[in-house]
Amino acid sequence: MNHYYNPVRTIQGAGSLHTLPETLEQMHLTNRRVLILAWSETVFAHPVFAKLDAFQLQTSVFTASNPTIEQLFETYQATRSFSPDAVVAIGGGSIMDVGKSLCCLYQTDLSDAEELRTYIQAGRFGTPKVRWIGVPTTSGTGSEVTCWATIWNPSKDAKRSIENQANYAYAALVDPELTANMPLKLAVSSALDATAHAVEAFWAKHTNTVSRALALQAIRTIMGHMEDLLCGKPEAHEAMAQGSMLAGLAFSNTKTTACHSISYPLTMHYHIPHGAAVSMLLAPVLELNAPCVDGLESLLAALGVSDAAMLQQRIRSFLQRSGQPDTLRGWGVAWEDCSSLAKLGMTKGRADNNPVEITAENIQGILESIY
């Protein structure tokens, strides 16, 4: 028996951001105080903000990628006295992580970053005090339709999750017009991240019928338009926005598996963009998992490949043509670090969600295969 649950209202298509005033009204906010958290000041030039005069707004800009506990605490401290009824997170996955984390933290009284660290490590997340709306400006993370947030703790070589089933967004406004100006490198790595979300949702131990159907459609949509994206065709952004959202809906109920688990230390220690890191791992993990993947033929057909070797060729081509290295060596990873990186790649909740057992030994083999 399996089940699927996702309560997020999804509004997708060009111009979706213009529905923000109406969406906020539907939330029936008691004090009508709204925190707008964005990746750049330029966001606030959008004409929709002139139509929010019925609300009391506070704006905050968060520019860091892979938010740390210290950075999250700084934003929490700067915004908690405003006591918002709602948070609107406009940006990529990092903005979503901070926005949904704040919703869980506003019910607390934390004095410093160390107290926040302890709070997150203990997993003491009650029902969020504040609801949020996700507005993605990249097409990759799907974070607008998931209920967990990733916060990084580099000093402890750790990635932490803030997770609560009550912390799904009230709504996701998925507007491809907001992604049209993404640099090609970011657009490609984001698309490959979404592909990984969908592939891993398909084979995860915790997969289900709905997630698998969403995953296949997401993969077909993204991989079927990668050439359009690389050629700069405008219609590719609509396809990537759809595919990323579908992938997010798929893995919102399954979580990810070995690819993500192994990728985290690559991003943490070598600053390899997450989408590039996880995409390089897709083919070798597919080769490992293939004997245990139910519906493998459907998955390969959606990816447009016949086997793992062909998938590796496709992904390497996408990375190369977007101006990114396609090997660990190209990203500056030292060969002798593969052993220590393998040990750090065993992330609880991700490695143990893989259909084939993941060990430090086979992770090292995977890393060496993409070196």
Side-chain angles (χ1 to χ4, degrees):
M1 181 181 296
N2 57 58
H3 69 276
Y4 179 90
Y5 170 76
N6 192 303
V8 182
R9 298 159 177 82
T10 55
I11 304 171
Q12 194 276 324
S16 296
L17 182 55
H18 288 282
T19 67
L20 179 58
E22 176 187 352
T23 304
L24 286 169
E25 288 290 354
Q26 292 169 352
M27 295 176 76
H28 303 294
L29 304 176
T30 302
N31 298 307
R32 302 178 72 80
R33 286 197 289 268
V34 180
L35 173 67
I36 310 290
L37 182 69
W39 69 275
S40 168
E41 287 281 356
T42 60
V43 170
F44 305 127
H46 193 284
V48 73
F49 294 104
K51 300 177 182 179
L52 296 178
D53 53 351
F55 299 91
Q56 183 180 348
L57 304 181
Q58 178 175 338
T59 59
S60 179
V61 175
F62 188 91
T63 60
S65 296
N66 307 315
T68 64
I69 288 173
E70 290 76 13
Q71 291 165 338
L72 173 59
F73 180 77
E74 183 179 345
T75 304
Y76 160 80
Q77 194 172 40
T79 59
R80 63 173 170 171
S81 62
F82 178 62
S83 191
D85 301 293
V87 174
V88 179
I90 306 175
S94 294
I95 291 291
M96 303 286 174
D97 286 338
V98 173
K100 63 178 78 171
S101 296
L102 291 174
C103 292
C104 286
L105 297 179
Y106 284 139
Q107 63 185 336
T108 67
D109 185 16
L110 302 170
S111 59
D112 54 36
E114 197 56 42
E115 192 172 351
L116 173 58
R117 193 186 320 276
T118 301
Y119 180 84
I120 292 175
Q121 289 175 348
R124 300 194 299 264
F125 312 121
T127 301
K129 181 181 178 182
V130 177
R131 291 175 294 169
W132 67 285
I133 294 171
V135 185
T137 60
T138 63
S139 296
T141 70
S143 187
E144 68 277 7
V145 292
T146 68
C147 67
W148 54 78
T150 298
I151 304 299
W152 298 77
N153 190 5
S155 64
K156 301 292 185 181
D157 282 332
K159 177 197 72 71
R160 304 293 183 186
S161 288
I162 292 180
E163 181 178 346
N164 190 303
Q165 280 281 316
N167 203 29
Y168 277 106
Y170 175 82
L173 312 183
V174 185
D175 190 338
E177 292 180 347
L178 302 179
T179 69
N181 295 320
M182 269 195 298
L184 183 61
K185 287 182 181 179
L186 177 59
V188 168
S189 64
S190 296
L192 293 174
D193 184 22
T195 302
H197 290 153
V199 170
E200 292 180 85
F202 187 84
W203 68 37
K205 283 184 179 178
H206 298 299
T207 195
N208 60 77
T209 302
V210 176
S211 286
R212 285 165 64 85
L214 289 165
L216 289 177
Q217 184 58 35
I219 296 165
R220 284 191 290 264
T221 301
I222 296 167
M223 295 296 276
H225 289 85
M226 286 297 293
E227 289 297 328
D228 292 340
L229 184 65
L230 287 160
C231 293
K233 295 184 179 180
E235 57 266 29
H237 296 293
E238 170 69 25
M240 297 306 162
Q242 289 181 19
S244 176
M245 182 186 71
L246 290 168
L249 290 168
F251 91 103
S252 71
N253 277 236
T254 68
K255 296 188 178 179
T256 51
T257 65
C259 300
H260 273 71
S261 180
I262 301 168
S263 78
Y264 294 138
L266 300 178
T267 295
M268 186 181 303
H269 292 289
Y270 282 94
H271 308 291
I272 303 175
H274 173 64
V278 76
S279 69
M280 289 190 295
L281 295 161
L282 265 176
V285 175
L286 170 61
E287 185 172 15
L288 177 72
N289 287 344
C292 297
V293 176
D294 183 29
L296 179 62
E297 289 185 2
S298 296
L299 177 60
L300 293 174
L303 288 164
V305 301
S306 57
D307 54 27
M310 186 175 176
L311 177 61
Q312 187 171 52
Q313 290 176 355
R314 288 199 77 188
I315 289 174
R316 283 186 165 177
S317 173
F318 296 151
L319 290 171
Q320 290 170 2
R321 291 161 64 194
S322 62
Q324 302 179 78
D326 62 331
T327 63
L328 294 183
R329 182 192 299 108
W331 285 104
V333 177
W335 173 267
E336 56 269 24
D337 286 351
C338 287
S339 177
S340 59
L341 288 169
K343 295 173 184 175
L344 294 173
M346 295 288 293
T347 307
K348 185 179 179 181
R350 302 298 185 269
D352 52 358
N353 191 31
N354 199 67
V356 173
E357 183 182 5
I358 295 295
T359 65
E361 289 73 23
N362 58 24
I363 290 177
Q364 183 168 344
I366 287 168
L367 293 174
E368 291 175 354
S369 76
I370 60 171
Y371 191 80

